[in-house]
Amino acid sequence: MMNNFELIDDYLTNRLSDANKIAFEKEVASDPALRADVAMQKAIVESVKNARVAELKSMLNNVPIAGSSPFSLPMLKMAAGIVGAGLLIAALSY
């Protein structure tokens, strides 16, 4: 049987079947301790996600952009979006 951490992680990352998700949500609704655990784990995931996004923005803001650079601002924004999406997926997989 999964421990609460794994079960909550599967719930927050949408890896539960519909039936298991419904059962888990019922259990969360009736168990204040489990509800608190879910809230805490969700806050941790959001904090990690936000920290990674802030770190990425900081790194991108420090990239020197010369007038003759072969990269345009839209290309850098697109690259930042791709990297950000990768970081988000990585954060959600933890």
Side-chain angles (χ1 to χ4, degrees), residues 16-86:
L16 294 178
S17 67
D18 289 342
N20 288 339
K21 180 179 178 181
I22 291 168
F24 181 73
E25 287 173 344
K26 286 181 182 179
E27 190 175 344
V28 169
S30 66
D31 184 346
L34 181 58
R35 189 169 40 252
D37 287 346
V38 169
M40 182 177 66
Q41 197 163 329
K42 185 175 182 179
I44 290 169
V45 168
E46 289 297 317
S47 295
V48 169
K49 206 172 17 173
N50 291 337
R52 288 185 174 173
V53 168
E55 181 181 8
L56 176 62
K57 284 181 181 179
S58 175
M59 289 171 52
L60 288 174
N61 284 334
N62 291 324
V63 172
I65 300 177
S68 62
S69 172
F71 301 105
S72 66
L73 188 56
M75 284 181 63
L76 288 174
K77 285 183 179 181
M78 182 174 66
I82 292 169
V83 172

